[in-house]
Amino acid sequence: MNWRGASAAVLMAWFATACSPPEHGIFGLCTDLPDAAFADVASGSVPLTYAQDVMPIIDKRCTRCHQAGGMAPFALVTYDQVYANRLASKAAILRGHMPPWQPAACCAPLEDDWSLRPDERATFLNWVDQSAPAGDLQTTVPNPVPPSLLSRVDVTVQMPSPYRPQPKGGSSDDNRCFVVDWPVGRDAYVTAMNVVPGNRRIVHHLIVAVVAGKDGNELRTLENKDGQPGFACPSGAFGAKVTRFLGGGVGGSQNPRGLGTKVEGTAKLVLQIHYSTVNDPAGTATDQTTVEFRVDDQARESKAIVITNPFWVVGNAMTVKAGDPDAVYFYRCRPSIFTGKKRVLIEGTAPHMHAFGSKFLLGIIHKDGTRECLLEIPHWHFGWEQGYWLTTPRPLQPRDQVYIECHFDNSEERQPIVDGKRAKPRDFAWGGDNQDMCAGFL
């Protein structure tokens, strides 16, 4: 979002009347995933086979991405595919990188949790250690892999033409915005969304925003001015014109409980795509991303607010020193300017940090001082940013505060590779170009 383009008077009034940055972190992180959980699991004594023990886990936890044409780099639909990738899969599981589910189970229960349970994790690792026997494949009936992560696809939009990222000044990041028409032609509600990257190797994530009426047409005049599709939006240059957000991340999400986000018939959609060329050193890869929507005429309308300290975006207020392995920024706020001092229900959450992020926390500080965890990510992985729906909506009362805490690792090991060499640590602040951010969506 373009925080610099927001009204300074509104931000100052909000801060002065409703927000009070604590002097130190007051929430604490739950630790359901200690480092010991990533240690090797010794081979079990019970014989395991793919057909009987492993295939049900793969079908339930993995094939949503690991299918032909899916987001993952290889398929895991057949025994031969799983066997060929067993060692890479084991290594990814041991590092906690797969499945790409980041929230800590000790915080709040979430919908559509595809993380491995401890017993499932042990079963797969032990099966690999037992030489990955197939078992009786004649008895297996693979689950059909759906063509989309949505229950149905009503509307599809695509970038108008392919785009080749062109980061500036030795950076590996390129933020680009593309304006597309809302093809429904009438007011409707988006109740599910699925992002299909044209090139997963370079698409890190995207945000889909709704821009109403003439503002959408004005944004379209910004496109192609540098001879390339779309327009540069390193900090979300369209932010002040956004009517609402439909979602972000990479992958699919179906709204629970009949929730939907309204899109007017005359609106435009803006795809703000964050490209990373870390895996494309030659700079030749192109992308033409598609977004699928489930659309309904009626829904319970949902709205989103952003939680962050507005002063962090100004100058070097959110400075992280070179070499600091655990810089912590935290903030609490009573977001009455957004809620109208009314009781609201928090249906879901979404985190936003970049590559230096290491831990993330969102919670509620109730007026009586009690604390409630909404989302904790103890091991942040930049490549798997997404939103999460709470299994049970949580009420936010008028005098409650929302708390956000972000940890950053600016040690030498976390620096990007630039021109084949690891960069030296340097101070950084809020920003989208080899810098970082700390924001949460409710």
Side-chain angles (χ1 to χ4, degrees):
M1 295 186 67
N2 184 13
W3 292 100
R4 293 176 175 84
S7 167
V10 170
L11 291 178
M12 297 305 175
W14 170 32
F15 182 86
T17 60
C19 304
S20 52
E23 295 180 356
H24 53 80
I26 60 175
F27 227 89
L29 298 166
C30 62
T31 54
D32 72 313
L33 209 60
D35 292 339
F38 293 106
D40 289 346
V41 176
S43 297
S45 58
V46 177
L48 301 168
T49 67
Y50 171 81
Q52 180 174 340
D53 305 291
V54 173
M55 181 178 161
I57 298 173
I58 298 293
D59 285 348
K60 185 177 181 180
R61 307 296 188 188
C62 307
T63 55
R64 60 183 291 143
C65 297
H66 287 273
Q67 56 174 287
M71 290 192 301
F74 51 82
L76 293 174
V77 178
T78 68
Y79 168 75
D80 289 340
Q81 292 168 341
V82 176
Y83 183 85
N85 293 286
R86 69 194 186 284
L87 297 181
S89 299
K90 175 183 176 180
I93 291 171
L94 286 172
R95 290 195 301 269
H97 291 174
M98 289 289 146
W101 181 263
Q102 301 195 90
C106 60
C107 185
L110 301 169
E111 294 283 304
D112 201 22
D113 181 349
W114 65 80
S115 62
L116 287 173
R117 300 194 314 263
D119 60 311
E120 294 172 331
R121 183 175 181 273
T123 293
F124 184 86
L125 297 177
N126 289 339
W127 172 72
V128 173
D129 291 342
Q130 293 176 16
S131 301
D136 185 1
L137 297 178
Q138 298 298 319
T139 63
T140 62
V141 179
N143 288 334
V145 178
S148 169
L149 296 178
L150 307 186
S151 60
R152 70 173 194 271
V153 177
D154 300 315
V155 175
T156 299
V157 301
Q158 187 180 47
M159 291 167 49
S161 57
Y163 174 70
R164 179 173 64 85
Q166 301 177 50
K168 306 298 183 184
S171 170
S172 60
D173 297 314
D174 184 2
N175 288 275
R176 197 79 176 177
C177 288
F178 307 89
V179 182
V180 297
D181 292 325
W182 174 240
V184 177
R186 68 180 190 281
D187 294 1
Y189 292 88
V190 170
T191 57
M193 185 180 85
N194 181 41
V195 177
V196 184
N199 190 334
R200 187 65 179 91
R201 188 156 55 103
I202 57 174
V203 175
H204 175 263
H205 75 277
L206 78 151
I207 296 172
V208 183
V210 180
V211 179
K214 63 180 183 180
D215 287 336
N217 294 327
E218 290 177 6
L219 285 178
R220 180 149 275 170
T221 65
L222 301 177
E223 296 191 299
N224 305 304
K225 285 193 173 182
D226 57 1
Q228 301 294 324
F231 60 93
C233 51
S235 298
F238 61 90
K241 300 178 181 294
V242 168
T243 304
R244 59 187 63 89
F245 293 97
L246 295 180
V250 170
S253 175
Q254 303 196 70
N255 298 5
R257 300 179 285 274
L259 293 168
T261 304
K262 187 176 181 178
V263 181
E264 295 79 5
T266 59
K268 305 290 185 186
L269 303 185
V270 180
L271 313 183
Q272 182 191 359
I273 304 183
H274 177 180
Y275 292 103
S276 174
T277 59
V278 170
N279 296 318
D280 179 38
T284 59
T286 62
D287 168 66
Q288 192 171 9
T289 284
T290 297
V291 185
E292 302 170 335
F293 299 100
R294 187 180 68 196
V295 176
D296 291 285
D297 290 330
Q298 301 293 328
R300 290 176 55 220
E301 187 168 5
S302 63
K303 298 180 180 180
I305 63 174
V306 184
I307 302 299
T308 192
N309 186 334
F311 290 104
W312 287 342
V313 308
V314 180
N316 296 319
M318 199 189 82
T319 297
V320 176
K321 293 293 186 181
D324 190 342
D326 188 29
V328 185
Y329 278 87
F330 34 80
Y331 180 66
R332 60 180 175 179
C333 181
R334 191 166 62 249
S336 53
I337 192 172
F338 299 115
T339 63
K341 298 182 179 181
K342 298 178 181 178
R343 177 185 181 272
V344 297
L345 284 178
I346 298 176
E347 299 275 0
T349 63
H352 186 65
M353 295 191 295
H354 291 184
F356 291 104
S358 60
K359 299 177 183 179
F360 181 89
L361 174 68
L362 268 178
I364 300 173
I365 303 174
H366 294 289
K367 63 180 181 180
D368 62 1
T370 59
R371 305 163 190 174
E372 182 175 4
C373 187
L374 294 175
L375 178 68
E376 181 185 323
I377 296 178
H379 303 280
W380 173 262
H381 189 284
F382 183 38
W384 295 110
E385 179 176 331
Q386 66 179 86
Y388 303 95
W389 293 105
L390 294 166
T391 300
T392 303
R394 307 311 305 157
L396 183 71
Q397 302 292 347
R399 298 193 62 177
D400 291 342
Q401 292 183 315
V402 178
Y403 178 86
I404 184 171
E405 179 174 320
C406 297
H407 293 238
F408 301 98
D409 181 355
N410 196 16
S411 62
E412 186 170 354
E413 293 76 14
R414 290 295 289 269
Q415 303 307 309
I417 304 297
V418 179
D419 297 328
K421 297 181 180 180
R422 188 174 297 279
K424 294 294 184 182
R426 55 170 177 72
D427 294 356
F428 67 79
W430 181 287
D433 188 5
N434 288 332
Q435 299 185 89
D436 224 298
M437 298 182 182
C438 175
F441 293 80
L442 299 178

